[in-house]
Amino acid sequence: MTFSDVTASVGAWVLENGHRTLLTVTGGRFPKKLLGMQTIELHTVGRTSGRRRSTMLTAPIFEPDRIVVIASKGGHSDNPDWYKNLSATPGVEVTVDESTTAWTAHTANAQEKAELWPVAVMANPGYDGYQSKTDRDIPVVVLTPRN
């Protein structure tokens, strides 16, 4: 693990746990948005444990029929665990404002990513910085409602 990976992992941990703490302390009232992006809690099924796993994320695109999240992990050389989990089991749940709904996840193909990446970077220019820090192609994940 490189120094860059360590700092990305620590940063991701601080953001995740800091966000959860703020939500707990404020009774879920803050922060509903970070950097202008909707905050969501993504629930996946652990690919090895089979247990429900949850992570706090920001969605640069948040629409009634589509949520887009970026598997950046701060530019770490490896994909985040939540991404590995939804790749194995694409049926996920999303909690926003204490309401949990079922969604299906897929990794954007090259054409979708070419459309979505610039929109995500407009919402958070840091995504381009994360991409420049890693050799991996950072996945863009599209969530659509599951009936």
Side-chain angles (χ1 to χ4, degrees):
M1 186 179 291
T2 66
F3 178 74
S4 181
D5 283 350
V6 170
T7 58
S9 293
V10 169
W13 185 90
V14 168
L15 285 172
E16 168 84 17
N17 290 288
H19 190 178
R20 283 188 187 284
T21 300
L22 282 172
L23 285 170
T24 300
V25 168
T26 65
R29 291 183 304 277
F30 178 82
K32 296 201 183 260
K33 291 195 178 208
L34 288 174
L35 301 173
M37 295 181 287
Q38 178 67 50
T39 59
I40 68 169
E41 186 171 18
L42 177 70
H43 309 284
T44 60
V45 175
R47 65 195 176 286
T48 55
S49 70
R51 296 173 54 192
R52 187 177 201 234
R53 302 292 184 189
S54 300
T55 191
M56 302 301 298
L57 299 171
T58 54
I61 300 172
F62 184 82
E63 301 166 343
D65 292 329
R66 179 175 72 166
I67 299 173
V68 175
V69 293
I70 311 299
S72 63
K73 198 176 179 181
H76 195 284
S77 63
D78 193 21
N79 287 320
D81 288 339
W82 63 261
Y83 175 75
K84 295 174 187 176
N85 290 343
L86 67 76
S87 293
T89 305
V92 300
E93 293 180 326
V94 172
T95 301
V96 176
D97 295 331
E98 299 181 19
S99 174
T100 302
T101 52
W103 297 75
T104 300
H106 78 270
T107 302
N109 62 35
Q111 181 179 352
E112 287 175 302
K113 184 172 181 179
E115 169 198 333
L116 298 171
W117 185 258
V119 177
V121 170
M122 280 195 330
N124 179 6
Y127 291 134
D128 262 346
Y130 298 152
Q131 184 60 78
S132 69
K133 286 173 47 176
T134 184
D135 291 333
R136 73 182 169 92
D137 184 32
I138 293 178
V140 172
V141 178
V142 180
L143 308 173
T144 52
R146 191 168 22 127
N147 296 333

